[in-house]
Amino acid sequence: MLFKNLLAAILLTAASVLPAGAQDFIAGIPRNETLIVQGPPAQNAEWFNLWAPGGGASNDGLQQLTADTFWFINPDGTGDQAWTNALAADRPQYNADFTEMTVKLKDGIFWSDGVPFTADDVVYTVETQIAHPGMGWSAPFTVNVDRVEATDPHTVVFHLKAPNSRFHTLFTVRWNAAWIMPKHVFEKVADPLGFNNNPPVSLSAYVLQSYDKAGNWAIWKLRDDWQRTSIGMGLKEPPQVKYVVYRNAGNPDARVIEQLNHNLDVINDIAPEGMFTIARKAGDNMAAWFPGFPFAHPDPTLPSVLFNHQVKPFDNADVRWALALMIDIRSVAMGAYRGAANLAALSTPPTGIAVPDYYEPMQDWLQGFELNTGTRTIKPYDPTIAEQVAALVRPQWGESIPSDPAKLKTMFGFGWWKQDVQAATELLQKAGFTKQGNQWMMPDGKPFAIRLMVEGDNIPTLARAGTIIAQQWSMQGIKTTVDVAGPTNGQRLGAGDFEAAIYWSVETWGGHPDLSFFLDSYDSAYIAAPGKTQPPRNLQRWKSDKLDAIIAENRKIAFDSPKVIELGRDYLKLAVEEMPFIPLMAYNKFAPFDTTYWTGYPSAADPYAASGPFWSNLRYMIVALKQNPNAPKP
Amino acid sequence: MHATLKPEASTSSADPVLRVDNLKAYYQMNYFGVSREVRAVDDITLTIRRNEIYGIAGESSSGKSSLIKTIAGAIRPPLRVVSGSVRFDFDGRTLDVYNDPEAMKAARWRHLSYVMQGSMNVLNPVRRVKHAFHDFAFRHMGLSPSAFRARVEAHLERIGLDPQVLESYPHQLSGGMRQRLAIGLATVCEPEFIIADEPTTALDVLVQQDVLALIKDVQMRLGSSIIFVTHDMTVHAAIADRIGIIYAGRLVEEGPSQAMFEQPQHPYTAHLIASLPRIGDTTRRVSLPGKPPNLADPPSGCRFHPRCPLAIAKCETESPPLVPRGEGRVACWRAGEVAAA
Amino acid sequence: MDGFAKYLARRFLQFILVIFLGVSLAFLITHLSPVDPVEQSVSLMTNFGATDPRSVALLREALSELYGLQGSFFEQYLAFWGRVLHGDFGPSLSSFPTPVMSLIMGALPWTVGLLTLSVLISWCLGNLLGALAGYFRSNLLLKLSGAAVMALHPVPAYIVGLLLLLTFGFVWPVLPISGGAQMNLQPGFSLAFVGSVIVHGLLPALTLVLVGIGSWFISMRSLVSNIVTDDHVVYAELGGVSSGTIFSQYVARNALLPQLTGLALSLGNVFGGAVITEFLFNYPGVGRLLIQGIYSGDYSLVLGVTTMSIVAVAVAVFVIDLLYPLIDPRVRLG
Amino acid sequence: MFSILRDLLRFNVEFLIGFLLTGTIFLFAAAHFFAPYPDTAIYLLPPDMPPSAEFWLGTTSRGQDVFWQISGAIWNTMTFGLTVMILSRIVALAVGMVSGYLGGKADEVLMTINDTLIALPNIPILLLVYFVMRDQMTWPLLALTAALLGWNYDARLIRSVTLSLRNREFTRHAVFAGMSVPQVLIRQHLPYVMPVVFFTAMNNLIWAIGLEVTLSVLGFSDVNRPTVGGMIYWANQHQAAVSGIWWWLVFPIVAVVLLFLGLFLLAISINEYIDPRSRLSRMGG
Amino acid sequence: MSALLQLDHVGRSYPVGGFFARRQLQAVKDLSFTLNADRPEIFTIVGESGSGKTTTARMILGNEVPTSGVIRFLGQDVAAIRSRKDRLAFMAKVQPIFQNPFEAFNPLTTLDFYLYSTARRFLGLRTRAEIEAAADKALQHVGLSLVEVRGRYSHELSGGQLQRIAVARALIPSPKLIVADEPVSMVDASLRMSIVNLFRTLRDDLGVTIIYITHDLSTAYYISDRVIIMHKGDVIEAGDARAVLGNPSEDYSRALRNAVLPPDPVAARRIIEARLERRRAALTEAGT
């Protein structure tokens, strides 16, 4: 009796409550004016001070939608269309020896509280941060800036401590950059480091509407005066997206479910299998970078097998090459990405402008590249890898896989090193290794074993790649165990506490051929002693005189100089010869869009803006989206 | 001598209120292949009359406790009734304990109550005593709650307990008080029949005397029949009208207590009585040789024969029947010779 | 009363000692953590931009000073106790300079609401079913529900939650699968908000109830099957007391007493959050906060949550010890 | 020993079912030693194959045979769970019995430690210890850590049993028969404590397996060693739940549930067998 | 005369009562008596529950420490014996017999283990044969043999047999003193006398002094040499057993004496009848 009553009560409650739960996904905001984007959970959600550490909603729309600075580079773009003048009216102007940079600012830009934006805000930004170590851009300003002045309300002149032809990149957004502070707000604050800036005034087209104190969501609203912003000025029509919701949509499974339920328009990252599920279930309501397989968007970062050059025997290029030749990249592509990988043999991501500037012109050189194994010379490059991978995925994807090799190269990459166990054997022997049974012994007689570090479930595809490479090496006689570092990954990489790792030490502008974005930090002067923390980028602690020469040369020339590409190619050739790390592929992200409410997302065919929710370039996508006329009516 | 305290049994009426016929109740156990059958109650027939106190005596594990549990219908597996019947006669209605469970349940406490050994544990330790009275007796009394309470209090006063005990928890009371309370609980509905299982064991001498007096008092007032078990022959001497002696699951002798103490018919009874020490007498008492029989594998013939000083060849092979002798019954091939021995 | 006061004093001393030892141990372990909050912040601030190695070094230095991480281990330990005694866990390192306390206080209502209810429901349900199953051994319905509970018992919380998430979010999408309340709804005692909180809490709560019910069920059933053979139960049966009364007043009542200690412990544990469930359903509670803290090397935060949990459990045990005499008359009156 | 087993099998249905279940799963788990592929090998088989005649339980998205994966995973998880269980039982027994028997100062000290550990929240402590140990965190070490966190509540139960045994006459008798403390504890008290040990052992095992899964799900696991939690971890990494690869998740869980049910039935029937009350009635008397 | 055991103004109090109402209970008050080492006797302590007799036994055995006064065994303060070695030496001379033989033997331990353990620990015997011989010899004293006991469990034997085995075990180290706390109260009446008779034999044949603690006046009368009657911690009456029990002088002792039911229905009924009369009178009085 009791059970029956209980059961009845439960069912009754369920019946009355469940439909209510399904209704009204966001209270009081029309769904068809709202773009819902996957954001990270904001710890310390009430913190809106973008210029001080403190967590908060920085990546939940704060910097993407309200902050602004001089210039933007579209990482997916090529040539001039990749460059956008935002607050600046023009490109940066340096003096001859690169000790002075002058920036002209656009007129008619206002903060969301109605205060005009002027050069004083810029000066204040730089000076305040220099005065407060610990603020986000304090350190680079302190290192570079001798003096900054506003020569008139729309002109700023930076006097630098030393020549620096790339100083403007501090204010150039690829992912983010030094954002301009609202002087009229911060000057009233005693401690800019302890100020939560809540609510934030906006310099861009959207402004904070409401946020979750628990950090699960933040909602941004189109400014009424959106035209008085750098992005709004350029628009011909008003943006159709009135509200942008950044929401923490939970684990990858939940993200897939939420998008299928039309509660999440933009996904940042899911596993390939989740992507395939959405493609299968959402049908026409789905858009992605590629409309069909491989779907994924290649980020301008380069997942690689990093070696710690300060740990023997990884200081030996022959060993590194041998390990590269033991890899069957097709299995890696299949295992990590189910084939949906954009493979990279060169040490720069095969995205954006790198394709016409580096990948296409260097194919001949790659095919002609000869490697001395100690007993013979081989030509390790295999330009047909894309076709081979295509053949592997065709059973599953069938007709959607084209047969045109040129198209396949944009999907799967230009080529990679052919697995060549014999050559690897010769290289190892050349390096003094011996093989006992199926076990390689190092020159000192110890068995050659590798701990391959991966971050883990934060970047599952790389963890997956790591397990396959480990298996391949193990099968060739080098016992490799995968070590999941989790949250300690970054620190261990920095401290050199690893032998080999799957991570990236190369990131580029994507939309600009200049490689200084990462290359400058490869200068051997910055290499830390073993055990000490290495500054970002040169995590493998690769030291090369030739490289130093390239870096020195690159510093001397201007950002837009055509010589940049030449030096870039020199670097790429050097990296092939020395194989300081084994580049694998672009960091492909599965980031499907739901087109039920919005259309016009960027794609490989129309890469007009970046689409990653955490990328500040996203704003150019948001203002370009169009309402789907077939959207369900509220 | 007080008139009501005559040791002669059943003067008032001779009609039986309890009839136990050929009752067999065995422990049938099967633990992981070890099957055992313990014949705790082995073919026992007896009747108890109205207004009579019937004592059951025997050593531990003789089956006396099993017998009284079987009579009370308080058995749980592995103890099972194998054959025979237990019938009560209440208000002219015959109730078979094992055939009329519903009627039995209704009759409990109204007609038939039970005093258990170990009064320590029979009351719910986490509730006040008054709840026990309510749970056990309220529905039989047909009284309003306040009238019921008054009745219970009066009843407790009559048996010499402060009604305040109703507000107590069991563990706040001494052993003697608890035992008195148990008797109070068993008699509050004035039942015709009371089953008492070792009601005075483990009580101090002074308390024991008190409780025995109480039982006798209540019995006389209500005219109830009481069947009770104890191994202490002196307790039987003090209040039983008739005594049944159990040995190895069987009734070996039964008779009025006075007669039994004066002239035991069975050698075992004789021994039980003879071994009792008494103050003022330091002559050496002999104890019974041997050990109590194992009921899972009892001796052949008369079960007492291995320890019997009078045993003859016949005793080893043939089990003596329980036959009338004198004022009672006895099961012994040499029954006549005991007194002489 | 003298004896009681003495007992109280000793018990209180032990209570303090437990908290002291527990928190010290937690301090030790958190400070052995290899995750360096400065490095975490540095990598957060430098990961995506062009980075000049010289400025990174400068940043690291500045942050280290800002977070107050200088000083020996022992000095930090003393400073920690100094703050804790004032109910302050210092600033969070990953959410600098927001105080840890305000982060915890933000998450606590969610967790306490969710967990208290789930613990109570699973305790009541598990005990009720367990008691019924232990008393009415032959009832088929009870046997079946017992089997269901038993089969559910070993299934890890994550799986139960995942199954619920898939069932009610994917196959039959009727319940929200993420978050604590509807978006853009301002917290308050409005019908909409409370309703939304309840609806959002259904799946995590159901997960916790399903996961928690098993152990209560099993222990209650075994307690009851011991109690039914007790004399007072047998005696009540002989007294013709109705089986309903016997069940509730003689069996369940006695068996519940030991379960109360378990309930108190579970309620104390509420302050530690339900890590897996909150993680899975993205529930804005202490458990999720804790995971974030661990990931970001925010030992102030981790230590704050751990300390709260230790104190809560110790208090719960202490309180139940003090209350027990009021609950169990045997202890009260000896 | 063998005759006990035979008796239990012949005369106790629960034991029989439990034995069959546990035995089957054990054999199944032991079979991984004879698996056709190494249990860490990936992409040797076509991925995502549903259960079929060729792959009985299907294949994972990593190209592994679910059958052989579960086989190895159950073995490893069981080893972990049993290690935690046995270690923590030993500590619980030692602390509970010594504390209950000796009483006084020893009891106070042990119970303060015990209460401290009760108050420590398990998951954060384990995660932190995992962080501290990192690469050195092998599964035996993890098992040890878990065991150190998993004995305290049960030690209290054991202590209360010992406390009541301490005042039993046979304990005093044993002392006057010259038995030493270990002799009293092991010979006289242990049989009475064993049912508690067995009863708590099952809960502890469930807790340990749950812990393994929890840590794995949160990403704290040795990916080089297949376990039930590890399988769930990898299934998550491949979003098996939403991708319809249900066999990757369902079968390991079914195996765990069956294993647990088997062990539970074994535990309650063995408990009945070793329970002093049942032993006594079996011996007669 | 040398004293085997000397109790000198011994007292013992406990905190009692529940959680909220604790008080001190004086279980034993100022108890003094001396047992002579040269003349073995059966010294009986008679009392009801709560009289302090069991507490006295526990103090003599060293299981509890007096809160006042001293207990000396062969001149040594019993409470001061702390080390395991001293305890063993003490236990070799003073051995207990417990009330409930079924409780005194762990039902899951074979009976012979107790015998062997005693022989091994107190006699220092090592070989199996020696140990078994010692056990058998002790069992012979109580009319049993090792063959009957070996490998048996307590439930396989009767209470009387168990109690005799308990006595045999206590005899193994040839103790000077045996403290028997209610040794027959849980034994069937028919077997009771076999134990009681055994105590006589021990005293007469082995020269063991026995402290016999009981509430049963009839067996006390039957075997005791000297007796003390305790009530609520106080000694009410002490002296020669026959004299005290046969003709008690104190009110309490007399009441106790008169409550003993004789094995005779007529006399027993008269006692109950008298009690009943008093009850009725008391109730009538209360009623009026």
Side-chain angles (χ1 to χ4, degrees), chain B residues 66-90:
Chain B
S66 306
L67 171 62
I68 208 163
K69 282 203 183 82
T70 315
I71 289 172
I75 60 170
R76 296 186 162 215
L79 181 58
R80 288 183 188 85
V81 172
V82 175
S83 68
S85 64
V86 180
R87 280 170 297 174
F88 286 99
D89 205 340
F90 297 135

Side-chain angles (χ1 to χ4, degrees), chain B residues 5 60 204 210 240 257 280 285, chain E residues 49 188 197 221-222 269 273:
Chain B
L5 272 175
S60 54
D204 283 324
D210 196 29
S257 49
R285 299 292 193 285
Chain E
S49 53
D188 280 327
N197 287 337
Y221 182 87
Y222 179 66
R269 260 153 228 252
E273 181 192 356

Side-chain angles (χ1 to χ4, degrees), chain B residues 1-2 4-8 58-60 64 157-160 180 203-210 212-214 216-217 220 231-232 234-241 257-258 261-262 268 271-273 275-288 290-292 307, chain E residues 47-50 53 102 152 156-159 161 164 185-195 197-198 200-201 215-219 221-223 242 245-246 252 255-266 268-280 283:
Chain B
M1 192 182 285
H2 202 279
T4 49
L5 272 175
K6 272 187 194 154
E8 288 83 15
E59 60 195 334
S60 54
K64 61 182 191 303
E157 271 176 8
R158 207 176 306 132
I159 62 170
R180 252 179 284 177
L203 293 180
D204 283 324
V205 245
L206 290 168
V207 182
Q208 173 180 316
Q209 186 194 30
D210 196 29
L212 287 175
L214 172 64
K216 187 70 194 166
D217 185 23
M220 283 193 302
H231 70 270
D232 188 342
T234 60
V235 171
H236 286 295
I239 63 163
D241 296 321
S257 49
Q258 184 77 49
F261 271 88
E262 277 169 10
Y268 178 64
H271 166 77
L272 281 182
I273 292 168
S275 68
L276 296 169
R278 49 172 90 207
I279 290 177
D281 180 0
T282 56
T283 48
R284 195 175 175 93
R285 299 292 193 285
V286 286
S287 52
L288 207 54
K291 59 172 182 171
R307 304 165 80 183
Chain E
E48 295 189 277
S49 53
K53 59 187 196 301
F102 292 101
R152 309 295 282 274
E156 297 178 90
L157 300 174
S158 73
Q161 284 170 305
R164 277 191 284 162
S185 71
M186 305 297 276
V187 175
D188 280 327
S190 59
L191 296 165
R192 186 172 295 172
M193 296 318 285
S194 72
I195 308 288
N197 287 337
L198 181 60
R200 273 189 180 175
T201 321
H215 66 267
D216 178 10
L217 273 69
S218 31
T219 53
Y221 182 87
Y222 179 66
I223 57 162
R242 305 291 185 279
L245 295 175
Y252 176 75
L256 216 51
R257 163 74 178 80
N258 289 338
V260 176
L261 294 171
D264 168 8
V266 178
R269 260 153 228 252
R270 201 172 294 134
I271 290 171
I272 298 297
E273 181 192 356
R275 177 80 198 114
L276 201 49
E277 284 302 323
R278 281 204 303 284
R279 272 180 58 79
R280 283 186 176 151
L283 277 178

Side-chain angles (χ1 to χ4, degrees), chain E residues 15-34:
Chain E
V16 290
F19 204 77
F20 297 121
R22 287 174 165 258
R23 57 197 162 77
Q24 294 290 312
L25 173 81
Q26 196 71 29
V28 174
K29 303 170 194 160
D30 198 32
L31 176 63
S32 299
F33 64 82
T34 306

